[in-house]
Amino acid sequence: MPAPARTVFNHQGDDDTWGGDAEMPGKPSLLERVSAPVGGGKTVLLGRRVECEELDRLLADVRAGRSRALVLRGEAGVGKSALLERLAERASGCRVVCAGGVQSEMELAYAALYSLCAPLLGLLDGLPGPQRDALGTAFGLREGPAPDRLLLGLAVLGLLAAAAEERPLVCVIDDAQWLDHASAQVLAFVARRLCAESVACVFAIRDTDAADELAGLPVLDVPGLIAGDAHALLRSAVPGPLDEQVRERLVAEARGNPLALLELVREFTRPELAGGFGTPAARTLSTRIEDGFLRQLGRMPAHTRRLLLLAAADPLGDPALVWRAATRLGLGLAAVGEASDMIAIGVRVRFRHPLMRSAVYRAALPEERRRVHRALAQATDVAADPDRRAWHRAHATAQPDEEVAAELERSAGRAQARGGLAAVAAFLERSCALTPDPGRRAERALAAARAKHLAGAPQPALTLLATAQAGPPDELRLAHAELLRAEIAITSHHGSSAAPMLLGAARRFEPLDTGLARDTYLQALSAALGSLPCADPSTAVIGGPSGDGGTVTVIGGPSGEDRTVTVIGGPSREGGGLAEVAAAARAAPPAPEPPRVADLLLDALTGHFTRDAGSAAPVMRRALAAFLDPDVPGAETLRWWWAAHTLAVALWDDAAGRELADRHVRLVRDTGALGLLPLALSTRLARLAFEGRLDEAASVNEEIRTLAAATGARPGSGFPGPAGGTLVLAAWQGRQDEAEDLAGALAAEATARGDGSAVAAGAWLSAVLHNGLGRHEEAMVSAERACAYHPSPGPAAHWAPVELVEAAIRSGAHELAARALDRLVPATRASGTDWALGVEARSRALLSRGEEAGRLYREAIERLGRTRMRADLARAHLLHGEWLRREGRTDEAPEPLHTACELFAAMGMEGFAGRAERELLAAGETARRRVAETGDRLTPHEAQVVRLVRKGLTNREIAARLYVSPRTVEYHLGKVFTKLGITSRRQLGRAS
């Protein structure tokens, strides 16, 4: 005999097992109905031997100290929940915690996550402070700022790892397609970071539902039953005689779906089963199953249907709440008995199948739904659960009602504090719909649109934005709406349209709020820099984007008069090109006294793009110094860091650039704003490449890749990013095939989304690669392509001309090299830093002859030797040695060539090192061989752990840095110790 039925899972996490008293009296579970005994007293599911064996292997791995993640994917009713139930029953010696998606709870942030973690919250105090606070805030256990999603993921990972220290932990998440968005993101993050914690995360999801958050996790598809197993299940469900033709039609109609087969049997009377039935309708399987539930529902009395609707409308499954609401509706025990075939009431109120819940709710008339929601709202304790009460009140209200709308708005505020953006958007959207006053409705629509945008729902945001803009005229609201529309365009990969929108918003703000207007102009500059059009490559150097520029008439400047300004820039694009944006920003209302940091940055950037380099540089230096003041608030630093970094690049200020990069990473980590970390790390990586610290750059890139994998971001989407960082390393290290493949892929993606700055960066790196390999004609083509873009500081305006001078000279294109130098010199002269003047001297030497060239090479080496930029210093030595050999001074050439070769080898710049070795051979000498370091045997993850240990970080600190648990750090260190033949952290040494 099969064991008594057990609940499929505990939605609310009030128990950490799959038992409880919520059993269906007298009703076998799906597990029992599709299972059969096998030898040894064990039970396997019919037709599920492969799936059961995989789940058994998963349990064996977890018991052995390894972690696993798995997604069971299949259509509704195919038996995924039965597999999860069997998994839990077989998990002897393990702790099982459960959660699941509930369709009506999808807008309530962290509802499923709380269900999973509730039994483990006794371990909360053992987490690091920031993680403990993040989790407590998300669950409403404490007050605090909205938690960063990645920090919250680390907290949950740490909580599960701590629980697994006692005994292996199995996390079961059913109906993942209905998880609230916030929970889905965190649980997917955790599943990706599992390694050596003795934790399993098993999800069940429909194959017809999108599950972007779970993309990349191992998947086990659960197909329909084969014909033989379907017949066996049918025989168990209909023990009496069954017409053979009817049996075949039933099996064919169910298409191997166990629940469909059982529900089809339920639909027909015994005579119908004996003699046949009508032609099946052409419907989807889920619809067919729901239709069966609806026919069953239609045969029930009205009071029973109302009780079922009440249970369907309450996602908590709280029997006390359902009973209180049922009492208000006059429903008694009789209704419960008649509904027992569809629900069970025990510790929780549960439907026999999730489709049954949705079928019951959708079948009800709107007034019937409102009636049960009203009863649930009245039965909900306003002090204990004000948000769910507000939600039920909202669904009980058909007409605009300011009291209900205001209550929803307050709920949105509480959800905002917990970081539940999807919940904020849902509360505000419903609040907007119930607001009677048109002006207030428009304000709430704007707030709801902003929340939808932040929650990653651009199309619903635009719909709400249209409602906000259709309200009574209000210039401030319309300006904010236009600003939000531009921000949506940027994040929706329509960045080319964002700058004109931002200009429009800035102009609307001008008479209303000068500070907001200037901030919006600064945002417009960011949008214009991030989406740069390409000029004709043939005009890249002569008369191109950074050549003579042009003039733009600004209508209505600060004094109310039109005026014309000269712009260093390229072609216009519907009023949103960099030239137009810079000119309009320069004509913005003047900054108040004393100016804010944002005001100084705006004036500096507009000066850079609308004035000559010499006159713009002092303003730029002043703004950069102000931004680097330690008293600048962290929020301002994070918001406007990109502008300060742009100035540092434009000024060739290597010291300020390094300080900005380090401060940005440190601030992002300290504030927990880990969503900003990829950009911060990418900037640091580029700086490390110039400094020749490619081993550390590789560690940073590994962290970027780890972050992308942890969050499910697609590697290669954007520059900088995981693929962009890999391209930087491949280009500087001279890995030709890999670099060319990456550059081609990134160029195609960037071109498709209109991101000229990314195209320019990729072309510049291709030029670096080919110059290093001595393939100068290819380098010249790539450098020209990079120079063809607007003068965005960095690859296009500063670094590509340097590569072009060298490549053109080596290719015999002396005139092109001279024009490239002319493009470079204004910025380097205005900068005055050793980096700028050293690079200029090196480039000018290539175009010089005789002793003048020798003097310039020596000046370049002297200046670059005073900077951190070891890569540029080594290249100066290489070019000097090459020049000496070409001048016939073979006795002098080996010294700088040996120096260059040793520097390149130490940095890992193998392409340039090979070029230096070839020059040494031509000079009659041989380069000293290099010995690979022991660390080369380590995997990237292991090498990353070693670097962090050498910096003095603890296991817990390393775990937070790498988005893993401390147990996983211990696992990697154990492998490192074995490979290196050591026994302690001290033996790894300290980084200098």
Side-chain angles (χ1 to χ4, degrees):
M1 292 293 292
R6 308 185 70 173
T7 55
V8 175
F9 83 97
N10 181 349
H11 284 279
Q12 300 308 309
D14 53 286
D15 189 358
D16 66 347
T17 69
W18 283 48
D21 58 358
E23 299 169 2
M24 296 183 182
K27 190 69 182 178
S29 69
L30 182 61
L31 170 64
E32 294 175 284
R33 287 178 280 156
V34 298
S35 62
V38 294
K42 294 183 179 180
T43 298
V44 296
L45 299 179
L46 282 173
R48 296 289 177 243
R49 184 173 298 277
V50 171
E51 292 83 354
C52 291
E53 288 176 352
E54 178 60 30
L55 292 174
D56 288 343
R57 283 193 292 271
L58 178 144
L59 287 174
D61 285 342
V62 172
R63 292 186 181 110
R66 296 181 291 273
S67 291
R68 289 282 304 275
L70 185 65
V71 178
L72 300 178
R73 184 173 61 190
E75 64 185 2
V78 79
K80 303 182 298 297
S81 296
L83 285 166
L84 294 182
E85 188 176 349
R86 179 190 179 278
L87 171 69
E89 289 186 347
R90 293 296 184 95
S92 59
C94 301
R95 185 175 194 174
V96 181
V97 292
C98 316
V102 181
Q103 196 169 17
S104 55
E105 267 195 337
M106 290 181 70
E107 302 293 352
L108 300 179
Y110 304 117
L113 188 65
Y114 180 79
S115 297
L116 188 80
C117 296
L120 312 177
L121 290 181
L123 302 170
L124 189 62
D125 289 341
L127 297 179
Q131 296 180 22
R132 181 178 63 247
D133 294 342
L135 200 57
T137 302
F139 291 163
L141 303 176
R142 64 188 68 195
E143 297 292 330
D148 179 271
R149 193 65 51 82
L150 289 178
L151 187 62
L152 190 58
L154 285 173
V156 174
L157 179 61
L159 191 69
L160 300 186
E165 293 287 341
E166 303 173 2
R167 51 182 166 141
L169 181 68
V170 178
C171 303
V172 179
I173 302 97
D174 203 356
D175 289 317
Q177 73 278 356
W178 287 335
L179 289 173
D180 62 274
H181 185 62
S183 293
Q185 283 189 322
V186 172
L187 290 173
F189 171 95
V190 170
R192 291 189 184 95
R193 305 315 300 150
L194 292 172
C195 179
E197 299 84 0
S198 296
V199 176
C201 283
V202 183
F203 302 84
I205 190 167
R206 292 188 192 174
D207 56 2
T208 56
D209 292 283
D212 293 340
E213 290 85 357
L214 301 181
L217 293 177
V219 174
L220 178 62
D221 285 309
V222 183
L225 299 175
I226 61 175
D229 292 321
H231 280 289
L233 176 60
L234 189 56
R235 284 192 297 271
S236 70
V238 186
L242 183 63
D243 182 273
E244 186 63 27
Q245 291 183 334
V246 173
R247 178 181 287 108
E248 294 301 326
R249 292 284 296 276
L250 285 168
V251 170
E253 177 79 0
R255 292 180 297 168
N257 186 287
L259 182 61
L261 188 59
L262 295 172
E263 292 304 325
L264 284 171
V265 170
R266 182 190 297 274
E267 283 186 35
F268 299 100
T269 63
R270 181 67 60 181
E272 287 174 322
L273 290 173
F277 51 88
T279 303
R283 294 168 302 203
T284 64
L285 189 58
S286 293
T287 301
R288 190 179 298 116
I289 295 173
E290 287 195 12
D291 285 349
F293 292 151
L294 290 176
R295 280 188 286 273
Q296 184 181 355
L297 186 67
R299 296 191 288 266
M300 293 180 174
H303 62 277
T304 304
R305 292 198 300 271
R306 188 167 298 143
L307 177 66
L308 289 169
L309 177 59
L310 182 66
D314 170 39
L316 281 174
D318 181 352
L321 176 62
V322 171
W323 277 122
R324 291 197 301 271
T327 302
R328 291 178 178 275
L329 294 173
L331 302 175
L333 290 174
V336 176
E338 292 159 346
S340 62
D341 199 39
M342 297 185 78
I343 62 171
I345 300 179
V347 174
R348 296 290 164 195
V349 179
R350 308 182 199 282
F351 280 83
R352 192 172 77 239
H353 191 275
L355 288 177
M356 193 172 288
R357 175 192 291 273
S358 59
V360 168
Y361 193 81
R362 287 212 302 269
L365 296 173
E367 179 51 41
E368 293 173 332
R369 295 180 193 170
R370 287 193 290 270
R371 185 176 181 184
V372 299
H373 278 296
R374 190 176 300 113
L376 286 166
Q378 293 168 347
T380 300
D381 187 336
V382 65
D385 200 347
D387 298 338
R388 208 173 297 270
R389 179 179 180 272
W391 191 247
H392 283 305
R393 284 194 73 191
H395 282 74
T397 306
Q399 302 298 323
D401 186 317
E402 176 57 29
E403 182 186 349
V404 177
E407 188 175 347
L408 286 166
E409 193 172 37
R410 290 191 292 273
S411 291
R414 287 187 288 269
Q416 177 74 53
R418 295 192 297 272
L421 293 174
V424 173
F427 282 126
L428 289 175
E429 184 175 20
R430 186 61 180 158
S431 175
C432 168
L434 294 177
T435 301
D437 178 70
R440 193 77 187 93
R441 182 166 58 250
E443 292 290 340
R444 284 170 173 159
L446 179 59
R450 185 174 291 110
K452 286 283 187 185
H453 164 55
L454 294 173
Q459 287 306 314
L462 290 172
T463 300
L464 286 161
L465 201 53
T467 300
Q469 291 176 308
D474 182 301
E475 280 298 307
L476 186 59
R477 185 180 70 247
L478 291 173
H480 278 292
E482 198 161 353
L483 175 59
L484 179 57
R485 189 175 293 276
E487 291 171 349
I488 293 171
I490 293 171
T491 56
S492 301
H493 304 293
H494 300 293
S496 60
S497 62
M501 295 181 195
L502 287 163
L503 283 182
R507 291 185 179 113
R508 280 185 180 272
F509 280 129
E510 282 190 13
L512 305 170
D513 189 317
T514 299
L516 274 175
R518 291 179 63 84
D519 288 354
T520 307
Y521 277 121
L522 197 48
Q523 286 180 266
L525 275 174
S526 174
L529 284 168
S531 181
L532 302 177
C534 176
D536 182 347
S538 65
T539 68
V541 178
I542 300 179
S546 63
D548 295 334
T551 60
V552 175
T553 300
V554 179
I555 301 174
S559 61
E561 299 177 355
D562 298 352
R563 61 192 180 89
T564 301
V565 296
T566 300
V567 180
I568 302 172
S572 166
R573 186 182 56 228
E574 299 179 359
L578 182 59
E580 290 78 5
V581 172
R586 184 174 174 184
E593 289 294 339
R596 304 168 302 157
V597 167
D599 295 316
L600 296 172
L601 293 172
L602 177 64
D603 291 341
L605 283 174
T606 55
H608 174 67
F609 291 115
T610 62
R611 302 168 64 185
D612 65 272
S615 59
V619 180
M620 295 164 64
R621 280 192 282 268
R622 179 192 174 199
L624 190 56
F627 188 86
L628 288 171
D629 189 308
D631 291 333
V632 174
E636 289 291 291
T637 300
L638 291 176
R639 184 180 186 189
W640 303 122
W641 170 89
W642 68 268
H645 178 258
T646 302
L647 293 178
V649 171
L651 288 168
W652 290 82
D653 192 333
D654 51 313
R658 177 61 187 272
E659 185 177 349
L660 281 169
D662 290 347
R663 181 181 294 188
H664 194 204
V665 172
R666 186 167 58 250
L667 184 60
V668 166
R669 292 195 197 282
D670 290 347
T671 59
L674 300 183
L676 301 174
L677 193 52
L679 174 61
L681 290 173
S682 295
T683 307
R684 172 181 275 181
L685 185 150
R687 285 279 158 189
L688 290 169
F690 274 112
E691 294 176 9
R693 298 164 63 183
L694 296 185
D695 55 345
E696 190 172 344
S699 179
V700 170
N701 192 52
E702 187 63 27
E703 185 171 354
I704 295 171
R705 293 167 64 88
T706 299
L707 184 60
T711 57
R714 293 177 53 198
S717 58
F719 187 100
T726 304
L727 174 57
V728 170
L729 291 168
W732 287 74
Q733 292 171 339
R735 302 198 304 271
Q736 181 178 356
D737 292 343
E738 181 182 0
E740 288 178 344
D741 289 345
L742 285 168
L746 283 172
E749 291 181 5
T751 300
R753 65 176 183 268
D755 188 351
S757 59
V759 176
W764 160 66
L765 286 168
S766 292
V768 172
L769 168 74
H770 290 119
N771 270 334
L773 296 171
R775 304 167 68 97
H776 298 298
E777 290 188 358
E778 294 172 63
M780 183 172 65
V781 171
S782 294
E784 281 190 283
R785 188 164 63 249
C787 289
Y789 287 82
H790 268 307
S792 173
H798 294 73
W799 307 329
V802 176
E803 302 301 328
L804 185 54
V805 171
E806 182 174 333
I809 284 292
R810 291 290 185 255
S811 302
H814 292 266
E815 186 179 349
L816 180 61
R819 293 198 300 268
L821 181 63
D822 289 342
R823 177 170 179 161
L824 174 68
V825 166
T828 55
R829 290 288 173 85
S831 164
T833 65
D834 278 324
W835 183 26
L837 296 178
V839 167
E840 181 193 329
R842 189 185 78 197
S843 301
R844 193 179 294 280
L846 284 163
L847 286 156
S848 302
R849 294 178 179 276
E851 185 51 38
E852 176 65 10
R855 184 190 66 79
L856 288 169
Y857 280 126
R858 290 191 294 274
E859 178 187 344
I861 290 169
E862 181 182 353
R863 287 187 179 278
L864 292 170
R866 294 197 290 262
T867 73
R868 292 175 173 267
M869 303 312 195
R870 289 199 304 156
D872 276 321
L873 173 63
R875 292 181 68 175
H877 281 292
L878 171 62
L879 289 172
H880 187 208
E882 289 177 339
W883 174 78
L884 288 169
R885 189 183 71 79
R886 284 166 173 74
E887 288 288 302
R889 296 159 65 169
T890 54
D891 56 332
E892 299 175 57
E895 182 180 351
L897 290 175
H898 273 301
T899 300
C901 193
E902 290 168 5
L903 284 171
F904 287 133
M907 292 184 286
M909 295 178 65
E910 292 298 325
F912 281 98
R915 179 175 151 189
E917 288 174 352
R918 291 191 295 274
E919 285 292 328
L920 278 168
L921 287 173
E925 299 220 4
T926 304
R928 290 184 286 274
R929 291 185 177 274
R930 302 179 300 280
V931 179
E933 294 183 3
T934 305
D936 291 345
R937 299 201 304 265
L938 303 179
T939 68
H941 281 298
E942 292 163 358
Q944 199 174 14
V945 170
V946 168
R947 290 189 187 99
L948 295 175
V949 168
R950 286 174 175 166
K951 287 185 176 181
L953 275 67
T954 65
N955 281 9
R956 177 172 283 188
E957 290 168 336
I958 295 171
R961 180 76 61 89
L962 303 184
Y963 322 109
V964 295
S965 71
R967 180 75 173 270
T968 294
V969 175
E970 293 175 10
Y971 168 78
H972 285 307
L973 274 177
K975 295 179 71 175
V976 167
F977 290 170
T978 300
K979 288 183 177 183
L980 300 185
I982 61 177
T983 58
S984 73
R985 294 166 63 97
R986 285 193 299 274
Q987 291 174 278
L988 288 173
R990 291 267 188 178
S992 57

